[in-house]
Amino acid sequence: MNKTKLILIGNGMVGHQFLQSLAESGESARFDVTVFCEEPRLAYDRVHLSEYFAGKSAEDLAMGQPAQYAEWGFNVLLNEKAVAIDRNRQLVTSDKGTELPYDRIVLATGSYPFVPPVPGHEREHCLVYRTIEDLESIKTSAANGKTGVVVGGGLLGLEAAKALRDLGLETHVVEFAPRLMAVQLDDAGGKVLRDKIEELGVRVHTGKNTQQIVDGDNAVHRMEFADGESLETDLILFSAGIRPRDELARSAGLEIGERGGIVIDNDCLTSDKHIFAIGECALWNGRIFGLVAPGYSMAKVAVAQLLGEDSQFLGADMSTKLKLMGVDVASIGDAHGHSAGSRSYTYLDENHGVYKKIVVDDGGKQLLGAILVGDAEDYGTLLQYALNGIELPEFPDSLILPQRGGDAKPALGVSALPESAQICSCHDVTKGAICQAIESGCSDVAGVKTATKAGTGCGGCAALLTNVVNHELEARGVAVSKDICEHFPYTRQELYHLVRVDQIKSFDELLHKHGKGKGCDICKPTVGSILASCWNEYVLKKPHVGLQDTNDTFLANMQKDGTYSVVPRVAGGEITPDKLIVLGQVAKKYNLYTKITGGQRVDLFGARLEQLPLIWQELVDAGFETGHAYGKSVRTVKSCVGSTWCRYGVDDSVGLAIDIENRYKGLRAPHKLKFAVSGCTRECAEAQSKDVGIIATENGWNLYLCGNGGMKPRHADLFATDLDRDTLIRYIDRFLMFYIKTGDRLQRTSVWMDNLEGGLDYLRQVVIEDSLGIGGELEAQMQQVIGTYECEWKKTLEDPEALKRFRPFVNADATDDNVVFVMERDQIRPASPAEKAAGKAEPIKLVS
Amino acid sequence: MNTKTHWIPLCGKDDLIPGSGVCALVDNRQIALFYLPEDDQVYAIDNHDPIGGANVMSRGIVGSVGDEPVVASPLYKQHFSLVDGRCLEDDEVRLATWQVSLDDELLLIDPTPR
Ligand SMILES: Cc1cc2nc3c(=O)[nH]c(=O)nc-3n(C[C@H](O)[C@H](O)[C@H](O)COP(=O)(O)OP(=O)(O)OC[C@H]3O[C@@H](n4cnc5c(N)ncnc54)[C@H](O)[C@@H]3O)c2cc1C
Ligand code: HEM
Ligand code: SF4
Ligand code: SF4
Ligand code: FES
């Protein structure tokens, strides 16, 4: 049989998908395939292009592998551009003079960035953002500049702005339209996004029409706008939209849309039935699809058509959810409410920078579109309503209003979703496919993820996926597991109980008696913490070493570059000048970045593994102890200056804080614990935001419990009033031990208490009235932990075996050359990937 | 495939930490070594965490997912197979692995990644 001569022009993301689908069909032997690839490398992941700046290499981004293509039997002409199609003689000619006959052609030529033809646009340091080569030019330009401007405030423009900012440039975005992301957002949404982005240090200029670009006075360029204003900058990045690359098709006489794009039908065929067009160069029903997913669908249709199968491209959903500079933005369907008779509901919270809008049909029954800025958690649910025509709840606005008090959001009954509902759009996984995976034996979310790939792309569908899986499992009578992980069929509370009751002293013993496998990063630290809470053995004792998170193993907090921070305990925040001088001297000697923390002590950053013992030796010699900043354990007891000095103080808050910090230091718990003591009701120590807060009164101490700051701040509840010191300490002992005994893994005291049946009142009964009769036991257990305290650093320095762990390499006397610093405000900070690449950074000076 | 394995000595068995990791330097490449005493096995895998962008894999926690031995990155907790370096959360990412062998008290390595 004669093979069909097939030529693919363009090896971008969609061209690659086409080749992959063809190979996977098992029918590729019927074709003689040649690929014209204009770029110097095979297809790569353009969607994640920006990660090139975050340290990913061209190799990391590669999608097509030469060996793979060879195995598939495809002939690739790298660095070779098709320049003419002779449809009469059925020949394709390249820029290198190659002439090849064809039976069928697939055009996947993608698009190019549109550069507005303003005078000066062709100047040096005027760049675009589409290929790896573009990014290299940007990097080079940025290394010599201070400021950068992105022209265009759409999706890509904002992504490019982030890249410039990360390269260390003072960054501006110039947009012609009156708002950012004009296509996806309305005015209110655009404003919220703008505020958020400006907060991040990027200046936004909307409604600006660039007239010309000329030499600047203080920078490379000056951009002059129609309103008479101007902006100076060293680098200009155009991101003003894309245009389909239809030049080849155009000169071959194929039908082209009015505003560009190769016209295709539902079969992805152009006006010449021998030629397909797919991806961003194709115009279907008057539309260009500037996302990969629709391009992938077209590629699959073209393969099916070539094999004589019946498959059609019928459009694609263009809903998107993105994180732009850390701001969640999503747009679904008819976001602007263009449909006749549609109505919308909006919610605006300028304080937190949240904007949400839903568009519903005239009957209020169906969701047509939505916009979410600042909080896109509802995206998955709303998308399901829109795509599957699910009937809206009685009050549709309840879907976007924040939950306050008791009224929970109407949950989208996942049982209401049809089998065809797409749950994961990245991997096109439907509810039906998930049910099938469960039918064929998957019994948890992780299993379904592996089997279907759902949830392994952008991750946006995770919550919905879990919901569907759990619902389906329950419907099949499978109990949904609350086990901590696959190695132990128990909750943390049950494990704690087993350890206490069986007097278990090591992880291996627990695993042998009650678990299976080798353990993991969930159960090992949990058990390590339980063992420490119960028996308080040295955490680096041989059997415990492998259980600890790296922070616990090296008794320091790992930072993003793999170096560590050093945090000595400064109980109550009180420190003598002499000790403060020691901290300064050590920081100076080892060139550590020095910062005062919110916990009233000093953090020293940038210590390499092998420096930790040297640094700590000096600190321990000067009388410091570890601050346990690395552990899920008692952190600090913050205090105000109290009655000793303060005009208003009614009791000695510092004295109490020091005693409490020394009492509970090193206590390990399900999560970190923070304390504070204020000397009067003015509450300067902010005790009511802590797990344990204490405020002095005329008659003793008021105790507040279960507060926290952070993502979801919560005020502590007033637990007991006017306590004397002994009673206060007794209550805290009992409270802490009861929490350690019954809390879940990584559950802070606030959530723990909210989950206790009976809440605060119940806690009072247990702690104050001793309703369970365990008060004495809890106090005794606490006494054991307190009695066995030792400074982990002191102990480590005395143990040559433990010190061996701090060698960077077992076989060489060298240091990690990936740790590189630059100076900022007279101190070191880790170099950014771009700075490392540009060689701006100095390797660190060794101190030993 | 090259069938000849070229072994060089790397370090002593007592340099390894049972149930945990250490790092070695071979031809200027950082290699994380994990010793699992239950199976008397040593695994060698790239020390560079491509997701976190730092040389830290040797400081992760080892364990298993199903029957497969894995290490979790200490930075962002992705799991990597100790057998083939595959990232369990991200198909696109794979760490280099090396062949190692315990010869009594000595650990040998083939310096060419698998
Ligand atoms: C920074 C960035 C971020 C993005 N983020 C997202 C995102 O989050 N989500 C999303 O869905 N999409 C995103 N996109 C869009 C997505 O990358 C495109 O939709 C996708 O790449 C289109 O694939 P394609 O194969 O049609 O075109 P391309 O990937 O552009 O490939 C076309 C290829 O054809 C080559 N070519 C052109 N003409 C010829 C010729 N005559 N001869 C030989 N070769 C030729 C070109 O050099 C190119 O390599 C992003 C794009 C960029 C640039
Ligand atoms: C997921 C959430 C959090 C993470 C991952 C986190 C992480 C950390 C880390 C690693 C440190 C130690 C820094 C170092 O010394 O290297 C630290 C210190 C600190 N954090 Fe957090 N933190 C979180 C939430 C919070 C919250 C909710 C608060 C306060 C309301 C908070 C307040 C502090 C303070 C005050 C310190 C300094 C404490 C000290 O001196 O030891 N953090 N945090
Ligand atoms: S809380 Fe009261 S005692 Fe403490 S510093 Fe403030 S005013 Fe003074
Ligand atoms: S808030 Fe905490 S976790 Fe976030 S950057 Fe600051 S120190 Fe890190
Ligand atoms: S939608 Fe992106 S991973 Fe499922």
Side-chain angles (χ1 to χ4, degrees):
Chain A
M1 193 177 85
N2 250 352
K3 290 196 181 184
T4 306
K5 291 193 267 308
L6 177 65
I7 293 183
L8 171 67
I9 302 181
N11 184 230
M13 297 185 75
V14 173
H16 172 75
Q17 177 67 47
F18 171 81
L19 293 175
Q20 184 169 349
S21 299
L22 183 62
E24 283 170 359
S25 72
E27 301 285 328
S28 55
R30 282 161 54 186
F31 302 88
D32 197 351
V33 182
T34 304
V35 185
F36 281 101
C37 179
E38 178 188 24
E39 295 191 53
R41 56 176 69 78
L42 294 181
Y44 52 90
D45 186 354
R46 231 180 273 293
V47 170
H48 293 105
L49 194 59
S50 301
E51 290 170 21
Y52 190 67
F53 285 135
K56 284 220 173 171
S57 64
E59 227 165 84
D60 295 331
L61 292 174
M63 303 176 76
Q65 305 291 349
Q68 177 75 81
Y69 279 29
E71 193 187 316
W72 286 339
F74 301 148
N75 177 28
V76 187
L77 304 173
L78 268 193
N79 244 328
E80 191 158 349
K81 178 178 173 185
V83 290
I85 301 174
D86 182 337
R87 290 163 55 201
N88 292 327
R89 295 164 56 212
Q90 296 207 320
L91 279 180
V92 175
T93 316
S94 83
D95 56 351
K96 292 192 179 154
T98 312
E99 251 193 12
L100 284 179
Y102 70 84
D103 298 314
R104 311 298 293 271
I105 292 180
V106 176
L107 292 167
T109 47
S111 52
Y112 65 91
F114 170 67
V115 176
V118 287
H121 70 81
E122 67 298 315
R123 292 161 57 94
E124 213 187 326
H125 304 296
C126 285
L127 306 165
V128 295
Y129 199 75
R130 178 137 194 118
T131 65
I132 288 184
E133 282 67 29
D134 292 338
L135 266 64
E136 274 164 2
S137 319
I138 292 169
K139 209 186 250 181
T140 316
S141 260
N144 300 318
K146 275 211 188 70
T147 42
V149 168
V150 175
V151 178
L155 285 178
L156 268 182
L158 294 178
E159 195 168 316
K162 173 173 189 322
L164 293 191
R165 198 196 56 161
D166 291 350
L167 286 171
L169 297 185
E170 177 198 321
T171 305
H172 301 256
V173 172
V174 170
E175 166 63 52
F176 176 72
R179 62 168 179 269
L180 293 175
M181 285 182 64
V183 183
Q184 293 89 349
L185 298 184
D186 57 10
D187 282 333
K191 176 167 182 310
V192 169
L193 180 62
R194 175 194 182 124
D195 289 349
K196 289 219 139 189
I197 282 176
E198 294 207 314
E199 249 171 54
L200 298 169
V202 172
R203 301 270 309 278
V204 177
H205 314 261
T206 47
K208 289 280 183 231
N209 183 1
T210 311
Q211 294 291 32
Q212 61 171 346
I213 304 168
V214 297
D215 282 340
D217 295 327
N218 302 310
V220 177
H221 311 288
R222 187 168 65 245
M223 304 175 65
E224 296 183 341
F225 304 119
D227 58 8
E229 290 189 22
S230 65
L231 181 63
E232 298 229 332
T233 177
D234 296 318
L235 184 166
I236 300 177
L237 200 54
F238 287 103
S239 178
I242 54 168
R243 295 289 181 270
R245 289 195 56 182
D246 53 17
E247 67 274 8
L248 186 61
R250 198 185 285 270
S251 61
L254 298 180
E255 185 183 345
I256 301 291
E258 225 168 85
R259 279 178 296 158
I262 310 167
V263 175
I264 60 167
D265 59 16
N266 294 354
D267 297 344
C268 293
L269 283 169
T270 64
S271 55
D272 178 333
K273 298 306 157 205
H274 294 103
I275 304 180
F276 294 90
I278 57 177
E280 278 186 349
C281 62
L283 185 74
W284 178 86
N285 236 353
R287 291 177 71 186
I288 296 274
F289 295 88
L291 295 175
V292 288
Y296 284 177
S297 306
M298 291 182 200
K300 289 175 191 163
V301 169
V303 168
Q305 290 288 341
L306 278 168
L307 299 176
E309 290 161 13
D310 190 28
S311 171
Q312 298 210 309
F313 179 77
L314 297 172
D317 177 56
M318 294 289 279
S319 301
T320 31
K321 176 180 154 206
L322 293 159
K323 218 184 189 60
L324 292 167
M325 305 202 203
V327 184
D328 282 313
V329 181
S331 153
I332 294 174
D334 178 12
H336 292 284
H338 292 314
S339 316
S342 67
R343 285 149 209 242
S344 58
Y345 296 83
T346 58
Y347 169 77
L348 174 65
D349 171 357
E350 290 193 322
N351 197 19
H352 297 97
V354 174
Y355 173 73
K356 303 182 184 188
K357 164 173 161 181
I358 51 175
V359 178
V360 304
D361 69 349
D362 50 3
K365 292 278 178 237
Q366 308 263 304
L367 184 69
L368 302 176
I371 295 175
L372 304 169
V373 180
D375 171 3
E377 219 172 273
D378 303 326
Y379 176 75
T381 307
L382 294 175
L383 187 63
Q384 294 302 325
Y385 274 105
L387 291 182
N388 299 302
I390 297 168
E391 187 168 320
L392 287 167
E394 184 185 356
F395 304 106
D397 52 352
S398 58
L399 291 174
I400 50 170
L401 291 177
Q403 275 168 273
R404 300 237 167 75
D407 293 350
K409 262 186 214 190
L412 168 66
V414 286
S415 52
L417 293 175
E419 292 283 295
S420 61
Q422 191 187 48
I423 305 298
C424 172
S425 49
C426 288
H427 293 284
D428 188 17
V429 181
T430 59
K431 180 179 164 195
I434 291 170
C435 294
Q436 224 167 33
I438 291 174
E439 290 294 326
S440 55
C442 295
S443 57
D444 57 10
V445 176
V448 171
K449 273 185 162 178
T450 317
T452 62
K453 284 183 138 188
T456 60
C458 67
C461 61
L464 185 63
L465 175 68
T466 308
N467 246 332
V468 171
V469 172
N470 286 349
H471 176 84
E472 291 300 320
L473 286 173
E474 270 165 20
R476 285 167 177 73
V478 181
V480 177
S481 158
K482 299 206 165 52
D483 301 349
I484 89 163
C485 68
E486 64 179 76
H487 306 103
F488 288 100
Y490 300 103
T491 61
R492 178 188 179 277
Q493 190 179 343
E494 290 164 340
L495 286 176
Y496 180 92
H497 193 72
L498 289 171
V499 168
R500 277 262 182 225
V501 173
D502 296 359
Q503 296 268 321
I504 289 176
K505 297 282 167 69
S506 77
F507 179 82
D508 285 348
E509 192 183 341
L510 187 67
L511 190 70
H512 278 135
K513 284 198 179 151
H514 301 289
K516 63 168 201 273
K518 295 189 169 59
C520 67
D521 56 314
I522 305 285
C523 61
K524 282 182 165 178
T526 305
V527 172
S529 154
I530 293 175
L531 291 171
S533 299
C534 289
W535 320 123
N536 209 20
E537 287 184 340
Y538 174 47
V539 290
L540 295 192
K541 209 174 132 180
K542 263 253 159 79
H544 306 323
V545 165
L547 303 184
Q548 317 296 342
D549 263 320
T550 184
N551 288 353
D552 271 305
T553 313
F554 297 107
L555 306 171
N557 290 40
M558 181 185 273
Q559 308 297 332
K560 59 202 277 190
D561 60 349
T563 63
Y564 289 85
S565 69
V566 169
V567 192
R569 185 167 299 288
V570 178
E574 182 183 275
I575 188 165
T576 62
D578 280 338
K579 281 183 126 181
L580 199 54
I581 288 169
V582 171
L583 286 183
Q585 282 168 339
V586 170
K588 193 165 177 176
K589 174 161 170 193
Y590 292 93
N591 193 17
L592 302 172
Y593 169 77
T594 306
K595 177 160 193 329
I596 309 288
T597 72
Q600 300 190 332
R601 47 191 185 176
V602 182
D603 265 24
L604 310 173
F605 291 83
R608 279 172 295 118
L609 198 56
E610 65 273 24
Q611 291 179 316
L612 286 172
L614 303 171
I615 293 170
W616 273 104
Q617 186 69 60
E618 300 201 19
L619 293 173
V620 167
D621 288 348
F624 283 101
E625 291 185 342
T626 179
H628 292 98
Y630 43 82
K632 296 286 174 242
S633 59
V634 171
R635 292 283 173 82
T636 62
V637 183
K638 191 172 162 183
S639 68
C640 73
V641 70
S643 60
T644 335
W645 292 89
C646 175
R647 280 180 289 153
Y648 304 105
V650 295
D651 213 330
D652 176 15
S653 48
V654 182
L656 181 65
I658 293 175
D659 287 351
I660 290 185
E661 184 156 346
N662 284 328
R663 181 173 182 82
Y664 299 116
K665 63 189 173 190
L667 177 68
R668 287 190 153 69
H671 210 305
K672 62 183 169 192
L673 286 165
K674 298 187 176 179
F675 295 57
V677 186
S678 280
C680 80
T681 51
R682 285 168 191 76
E683 241 283 69
C684 296
E686 299 169 329
Q688 291 167 90
S689 65
K690 306 296 183 203
D691 298 279
V692 178
I694 301 160
I695 302 176
T697 69
E698 300 285 348
N699 308 312
W701 303 98
N702 282 355
L703 174 62
Y704 294 78
L705 293 180
C706 302
N708 59 245
M711 284 195 263
K712 268 207 173 137
R714 181 188 190 282
H715 272 300
D717 289 315
L718 180 58
F719 183 77
T721 52
D722 297 333
L723 303 174
D724 61 57
R725 212 166 153 130
D726 287 346
T727 313
L728 175 74
I729 299 286
R730 188 165 70 242
Y731 287 177
I732 301 175
D733 276 3
R734 292 180 178 187
F735 163 73
L736 290 176
M737 262 301 156
F738 189 51
Y739 162 60
I740 289 171
K741 200 181 178 83
T742 58
D744 247 331
R745 188 181 88 87
L746 299 186
Q747 188 177 44
R748 294 223 33 193
T749 52
S750 55
V751 181
W752 167 73
M753 183 175 73
D754 290 343
N755 285 342
L756 284 180
E757 211 153 308
L760 185 67
D761 284 334
Y762 174 70
L763 196 57
R764 283 202 187 102
Q765 285 163 20
V766 174
V767 171
I768 302 178
E769 291 152 31
D770 195 9
S771 60
L772 298 180
I774 55 171
E777 187 188 323
L778 295 174
E779 284 168 45
Q781 288 168 356
M782 181 62 85
Q783 200 48 53
Q784 189 199 345
V785 175
I786 294 167
T788 49
Y789 171 83
E790 48 190 352
C791 170
E792 290 156 359
W793 263 113
K794 186 150 183 268
K795 177 105 181 152
T796 302
L797 292 169
E798 290 161 0
D799 179 350
E801 267 304 302
L803 284 177
K804 271 174 73 177
R805 295 227 62 186
F806 293 86
R807 292 182 295 172
F809 304 108
V810 287
N811 66 334
D813 197 12
T815 56
D816 182 355
D817 59 6
N818 187 43
V819 173
V820 186
F821 299 126
V822 293
M823 298 299 283
E824 186 169 274
R825 294 186 294 276
D826 300 328
Q827 297 208 63
I828 57 159
R829 70 160 167 79
S832 68
E835 285 165 338
K836 284 188 199 173
K840 269 190 195 173
E842 291 286 322
I844 36 167
K845 300 260 173 344
L846 284 186
V847 184
S848 49
Chain B
M1 271 286 293
N2 182 359
T3 49
K4 255 192 258 148
T5 314
H6 166 69
W7 295 112
I8 58 165
L10 186 57
C11 63
K13 185 172 175 182
D14 59 351
D15 285 316
L16 304 173
I17 298 174
S20 189
V22 296
C23 187
L25 198 61
V26 176
D27 295 342
N28 234 351
R29 238 175 127 166
Q30 299 189 15
I31 303 179
L33 304 170
F34 299 96
Y35 174 38
L36 303 189
E38 309 92 274
D39 339 335
D40 203 31
Q41 270 283 349
V42 181
Y43 296 95
I45 180 166
D46 202 331
N47 193 41
H48 188 71
D49 171 357
I51 298 167
N55 295 327
V56 295
M57 290 310 303
S58 58
R59 298 176 239 162
I61 294 183
V62 288
S64 60
V65 171
D67 291 332
E68 185 157 28
V70 297
V71 56
S73 160
L75 282 170
Y76 301 113
K77 317 293 175 194
Q78 292 89 359
H79 299 84
F80 295 86
S81 162
L82 290 178
V83 179
D84 60 12
R86 189 171 96 258
C87 174
L88 271 52
E89 284 82 10
D90 185 349
D91 284 351
E92 319 261 299
V93 180
R94 179 185 287 265
L95 298 183
T97 57
W98 285 261
Q99 242 180 311
V100 284
S101 161
L102 264 181
D103 180 13
D104 202 18
E105 286 306 301
L106 202 61
L107 182 73
L108 305 175
I109 187 166
D110 176 353
T112 324
R114 265 199 279 244

